[in-house]
């Protein structure tokens, strides 16, 4: 089952926020609610949830669940 909630931790200030992940697109930008830093995916990651979240984005979860190569957008 695909999880739609992930907790993002800001690498700049350490602020933690639980967020709902989109199921129809990758989220490339995220505004930290603690310090207003705009987070972007790390090199090799498809979205901010894969880089800074506790749970990978839904497309990656689904790919890992069915043995497909981990690919998103």
């Amino acid at each position: 089952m695909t999880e739609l909630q992930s907790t993002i931790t800001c690498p700049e200030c350490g602020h933690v926020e639980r967020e709902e992940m989109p199921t129809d697109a990758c989220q490339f930008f995220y505004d930290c609610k603690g310090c207003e830093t705009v987070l972007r995916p790390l090199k090799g990651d498809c979205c901010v949830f894969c880089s800074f979240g506790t749970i990978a984005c839904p497309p990656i979860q689904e790919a890992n669940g069915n043995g497909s190569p981990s690919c998103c957008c």
Side-chain angles (χ1 to χ4, degrees), residues 6-68:
S6 183
T7 301
I8 290 184
T9 301
C10 177
E12 296 295 318
C13 73
H15 181 79
V16 176
E17 192 77 30
R18 187 127 173 105
E19 297 287 350
E20 182 141 350
M21 296 182 281
T23 57
D24 58 350
C26 290
Q27 186 166 336
F28 295 109
F29 304 103
Y30 177 80
D31 295 322
C32 174
K33 293 175 176 81
C35 67
E36 299 183 1
T37 296
V38 177
L39 303 182
R40 293 171 179 82
L42 299 174
K43 185 175 182 169
D45 284 342
C46 64
C47 69
V48 294
F49 291 104
C50 288
S51 294
F52 305 107
T54 55
I55 304 290
C57 69
I60 296 296
Q61 290 180 57
E62 291 170 14
N64 290 341
N66 66 21
S68 299

